[in-house]
Amino acid sequence: MNMDKIVCNCMSVTNGMIKDAVDSGADTLEEVQEITGAGTVCGACLDDVQHLVDFFVEERGK
Ligand code: FES
């Protein structure tokens, strides 16, 4: 995965920033939104952000 790829254009949040938020303890979309701001403006990225949160939470558990 390209960690520098932007998932949320409104807030310029990258895949890597979502991963960092999850690695620092966030477990849910809401927590990641609070930490990164991803998905808090237009909402168009929400499905993608949710998908990434689920993926990184799963990875973290391995
Ligand atoms: S693209 Fe993420 S809130 Fe607009």
Side-chain angles (χ1 to χ4, degrees):
M1 187 187 293
N2 178 1
M3 290 301 169
D4 293 330
K5 183 169 178 279
I6 289 185
V7 57
C8 175
N9 283 308
C10 292
M11 297 295 286
S12 299
V13 177
T14 62
N15 289 342
M17 289 163 72
I18 304 292
K19 179 177 190 301
D20 287 346
V22 170
D23 285 348
S24 67
D27 298 307
T28 63
L29 173 63
E30 288 74 18
E31 287 171 329
V32 170
Q33 284 182 287
E34 262 180 50
I35 293 169
T36 65
T40 60
V41 185
C42 77
C45 61
L46 277 176
D47 281 356
D48 291 340
V49 175
Q50 177 73 73
H51 195 78
L52 286 166
V53 172
D54 291 346
F55 176 77
F56 288 131
V57 166
E58 174 85 17
E59 286 289 300
R60 193 187 58 190
K62 285 181 186 165

